Amino acid sequence: MTSSTSSSPPSSSSSHSPSPSFPPKSHTPATTAAGFIKAIESGSKHLLIKRFTLRYPEQKLKFVGDGYQFDPKRAVGIAGLRGRHILYHDKCTGCQLCAITCEGIAEAIGMVRVDEQWKHNKKAIMPQIDYGKCVFCGLCVDACPFYALFMTNDYELASFTKEHLIYTPAQLAIKPKYSGDVEIKIDDHGASHHG
Amino acid sequence: MADLEDRISESQKMGMQIVKESDDDRLMTLSVGPQHPGSGHFRFIVKLDGDYIVHCDPDPGYVHRGEEKMTEYRNFIQNIPHLERPVIHDSTNITYSYSLAVEELTGIEVPRRGQFIRAIASELNRQVYTLYWLAIYGIFLGHSTMFMWPTGDRELFIDLLEALTGARVTHAFNIPGGVRNDVPDGFKDRCLRQITYYEKRLKEYEDIFYNNPLVRQRTEGVGILTKEDAIRLGVTGSVLRASGVPYDIRKAEPYDVYNEIDFKVQYMKTADSFARAYVPFLDMRESCHILRQLLDKMPEAGEVRAKLQANPRGPPGEAYRRVESGRGALGYYIISDGTPKPYRVKISVGSFRNMLALPHLLVGAKMGDMPVIYWALNYWPVEADR
């Protein structure tokens, strides 16, 4: 494919006459010293500049919004972090569309029976999510036609056993508390984190 | 015995190397990889005569995951999360050409704002990938500052993409018909601020790495791939451009909104490892110009995604679309038989084609030059294996 077109520069790019980008000329002994000095100078400047490493467990990043959600009016997603899901029991009808979507992706969602009685959920089934399998693509949120399943900012899901990674409908209904307030500030001096 | 001879010649025809006991003890056979970070998840067998490589036999396939077969069991939308696994650092670009091909098959029109947003996401992701590659190239040249700096600056781009797409690495952002969500508030300002900062950083990268006399001496004149050889071997992307061929898919067959963007195809004529390492750097700089223009020209409001039916499908047919990824041309050839699932998907990746130049470049080089040549090829083993 490349060989057929690249024997001569493609016509579309010839309109603005591309010129090869030449790097600075090879270093002669005189400029070698200058090159070293410049390299050392650009590195040593950073001794005085504050580092922008995020001290993670003490500091947590602030995210956009409350997590990835779906806008019923425009039928597109709302930007946000795709963390752990939240399930609104008063909206879920047990239609299984989230589980059907996930079937070809991660097989993380299974429908389980719940004790609650809802008029709109005669079958009394709701999704249960296995976070050992979930890939956090959020396509289940897109698929939910009743806006019952959204995602939240909670990403700290580590646990000691596989069983604890399986979140039942009751666990998914709890709104997580996430308190990240650190933002990246970029100014003339460089990048840094500000609480 | 004749049977054995037949089998040996048969194996040799298939490209396998048989070392007979009578072979000269001079040569040492060395297996580089597949589990050592020195080669990624990829093995190549080299034969050494002293310090010089006299034979090289690449052996890809260690991380083959059957992505192409997996697509046949999922519908066009369910395919997206697993198709970005071959290159998670460039996941927007690898789903970009897939989306383009599916849109051609199903006849979906992408809204203009959606086209801009996914071009922005793709350019940001190109920065993320190239910075990651640069970090690895730096550390394999023994330049540990060049590992720390790009890794740190890459984090800022990941934060941007996280704000835009919701995930740090595997975005699942492109979808046939546009993008998943609109940009968040204040994204444009944040992005522009970041680009200004980043362009300043690129100057420092040049001072400490590309113009560093040690790096220049290490890479200049090592592993020459002439223009004729580059075309004959079919390499692509930065490797092709470093050999003096100004070929970029964004320019040669513009997709989405790239025909409205004014940018130069970056290429060099020196054709050595330094050129192959420098062209991605020039691409990053050019990508900043592209990002500025994209952010400037993006419509203020509008739809970002075409309405899809639950199981998008089109008439039986085939489509081939490609984009310029961080590693060169990345194309999808999709055959549809009219059902919601593709009949066959073929992924054509830049990594695999650049790998074909590896034996050509390594033979005759010193073993110590192996990392310099190999990592400059912009080769991503997982993508090559699919």
Side-chain angles (χ1 to χ4, degrees):
Chain A
M1 186 186 312
T2 42
S3 60
S4 62
T5 42
S6 54
S7 51
S8 64
S11 54
S12 60
S13 62
S14 61
S15 55
H16 63 98
S17 64
S19 57
S21 328
F22 287 107
K25 288 218 174 69
S26 272
H27 290 276
T28 53
T31 56
T32 303
F36 278 130
I37 289 166
K38 218 160 179 205
I40 291 167
E41 187 205 341
S42 77
S44 55
K45 259 191 312 197
H46 282 261
L47 290 171
L48 306 171
I49 297 174
K50 209 178 160 214
R51 290 182 188 84
F52 62 90
T53 311
L54 181 74
R55 300 199 317 277
Y56 161 59
E58 289 88 31
Q59 294 183 321
K60 284 178 188 175
L61 271 185
K62 189 180 173 190
F63 297 122
V64 175
D66 282 339
Y68 182 72
Q69 297 181 355
F70 209 67
D71 187 353
K73 280 185 208 132
R74 289 181 66 193
V76 292
I78 302 171
L81 186 84
R82 296 206 296 260
R84 194 260 275 173
H85 296 77
I86 185 162
L87 177 72
Y88 294 104
H89 285 219
D90 53 341
K91 286 182 185 164
C92 180
T93 60
C95 71
Q96 309 180 31
L97 274 178
C98 49
I100 292 167
T101 307
C102 202
E103 237 167 48
I105 297 169
E107 299 181 10
I109 302 182
M111 302 303 289
V112 292
R113 195 157 285 281
V114 288
D115 296 332
E116 302 162 50
Q117 294 295 320
W118 293 98
K119 224 191 321 179
H120 57 261
N121 195 345
K122 291 262 163 48
K123 285 178 277 187
I125 51 171
M126 279 182 193
Q128 160 183 293
I129 302 179
D130 181 357
Y131 285 106
K133 290 177 175 176
C134 181
V135 295
F136 299 94
C137 65
L139 285 172
C140 46
V141 177
D142 291 13
C144 183
F146 302 102
Y147 309 106
L149 195 64
F150 289 145
M151 293 179 116
T152 62
N153 281 338
D154 183 19
Y155 58 89
E156 293 164 322
L157 301 169
S159 86
F160 283 103
T161 57
K162 279 185 187 173
E163 287 73 31
H164 282 117
L165 287 174
I166 299 173
Y167 278 57
T168 59
Q171 279 171 297
L172 287 174
I174 300 165
K175 202 172 163 63
K177 283 196 193 80
Y178 180 79
S179 57
D181 54 354
V182 177
E183 276 182 295
I184 290 171
K185 197 178 148 214
I186 296 173
D187 53 20
D188 295 342
H189 302 293
S192 56
H193 285 105
H194 280 264
Chain B
M1 202 59 199
D3 188 34
L4 182 67
E5 289 292 320
D6 281 352
R7 261 194 286 165
I8 288 173
S9 69
E10 192 65 29
S11 313
Q12 275 168 342
K13 262 184 230 160
M14 288 163 66
M16 290 167 75
Q17 287 298 314
I18 311 292
V19 181
K20 290 183 196 161
E21 277 176 28
S22 59
D23 273 358
D24 197 346
D25 285 345
R26 258 181 88 81
L27 301 186
M28 184 169 80
T29 307
L30 203 63
S31 174
V32 185
Q35 287 176 334
H36 192 269
S39 70
H41 291 292
F42 166 66
R43 177 172 75 155
F44 52 99
I45 300 155
V46 292
K47 280 189 192 159
L48 297 171
D49 183 357
D51 200 15
Y52 287 90
I53 296 169
V54 292
H55 184 266
C56 170
D57 192 7
D59 180 19
Y62 185 68
V63 276
H64 172 65
R65 287 188 275 196
E67 292 286 344
E68 292 174 3
K69 192 68 186 165
M70 277 165 75
T71 55
E72 294 167 21
Y73 299 97
R74 286 153 178 83
N75 72 26
F76 285 118
I77 290 178
Q78 285 172 330
N79 270 327
I80 287 169
H82 82 84
L83 275 179
E84 57 187 20
R85 257 64 194 171
V87 210
I88 54 169
H89 294 294
D90 205 2
S91 57
T92 311
N93 276 315
I94 197 167
T95 48
Y96 201 153
S97 47
Y98 173 76
S99 304
L100 288 172
V102 174
E103 280 152 19
E104 192 178 314
L105 271 176
T106 51
I108 303 169
E109 280 282 321
V110 184
R112 194 168 152 78
R113 188 171 159 88
Q115 292 183 357
F116 271 97
I117 294 174
R118 67 181 181 185
I120 289 168
S122 133
E123 289 300 325
L124 287 173
N125 222 315
R126 189 188 318 280
Q127 307 274 17
V128 171
Y129 172 78
T130 316
L131 284 170
Y132 190 81
W133 164 83
L134 184 56
I136 294 181
Y137 196 62
I139 196 72
F140 277 103
L141 289 188
H143 198 304
S144 41
T145 308
M146 213 51 213
F147 177 72
M148 302 307 270
W149 282 10
T151 318
D153 288 331
R154 176 176 166 266
E155 204 67 20
L156 300 176
F157 277 107
I158 287 181
D159 285 342
L160 265 182
L161 279 165
E162 182 187 77
L164 176 62
T165 70
R168 290 181 75 78
V169 181
T170 50
H171 310 294
F173 188 55
N174 287 337
I175 198 163
V179 291
R180 294 270 299 280
N181 55 261
D182 210 336
V183 295
D185 294 338
F187 181 78
K188 188 179 167 183
D189 291 342
R190 200 178 155 185
C191 207
L192 285 173
R193 221 170 28 237
Q194 162 109 27
I195 294 165
T196 312
Y197 162 76
Y198 180 61
E199 276 175 334
K200 231 185 275 173
R201 289 288 284 164
L202 285 179
K203 279 195 202 94
E204 292 184 335
Y205 285 8
E206 205 165 27
D207 282 346
I208 206 167
F209 191 71
Y210 288 106
N211 285 345
N212 191 331
L214 286 176
V215 176
R216 295 292 281 261
Q217 282 167 16
R218 191 83 188 78
T219 53
E220 273 179 351
V222 175
I224 303 275
L225 182 67
T226 58
K227 188 174 177 179
E228 291 72 33
D229 281 338
I231 293 167
R232 183 175 60 84
L233 291 163
V235 297
T236 170
S238 59
V239 181
L240 182 67
R241 289 198 290 276
S243 294
V245 185
Y247 187 76
D248 190 313
I249 311 259
R250 287 174 290 177
K251 201 61 144 177
E253 27 182 275
Y255 44 92
D256 275 4
V257 291
Y258 278 103
N259 50 1
E260 299 168 30
I261 307 295
D262 178 38
F263 68 101
K264 274 186 186 165
V265 177
Q266 301 290 337
Y267 73 111
M268 279 169 72
K269 284 183 171 169
T270 46
D272 51 3
S273 288
F274 178 78
R276 286 195 287 278
Y278 198 57
V279 165
F281 175 79
L282 295 170
D283 277 347
M284 285 202 283
R285 192 178 275 171
E286 200 61 37
S287 185
C288 290
H289 297 307
I290 297 175
L291 270 170
R292 278 181 199 283
Q293 291 179 48
L294 285 171
L295 287 166
D296 190 40
K297 290 186 178 174
M298 183 169 74
E300 284 300 319
E303 288 295 307
V304 297
R305 172 178 174 177
K307 263 248 183 295
L308 291 176
Q309 55 194 96
N311 269 335
R313 68 182 85 184
E318 55 187 41
Y320 177 69
R321 291 301 296 271
R322 54 183 184 154
V323 301
E324 180 77 24
S325 75
R327 297 152 309 287
L330 206 163
Y332 274 84
Y333 176 60
I334 302 179
I335 303 178
S336 166
D337 54 0
T339 56
K341 293 172 184 176
Y343 176 75
R344 174 83 169 92
V345 172
K346 171 83 184 122
I347 316 171
S348 153
V349 289
S351 296
F352 191 81
R353 295 207 243 142
N354 290 346
M355 186 257 290
L356 299 179
L358 187 61
H360 178 83
L361 291 174
L362 278 185
V363 170
K366 282 182 180 175
M367 188 59 192
D369 286 337
M370 185 276 288
V372 180
I373 295 171
Y374 171 70
W375 285 104
L377 276 181
N378 216 341
Y379 175 66
W380 195 255
V382 196
E383 188 198 39
D385 293 350
R386 266 100 80 198

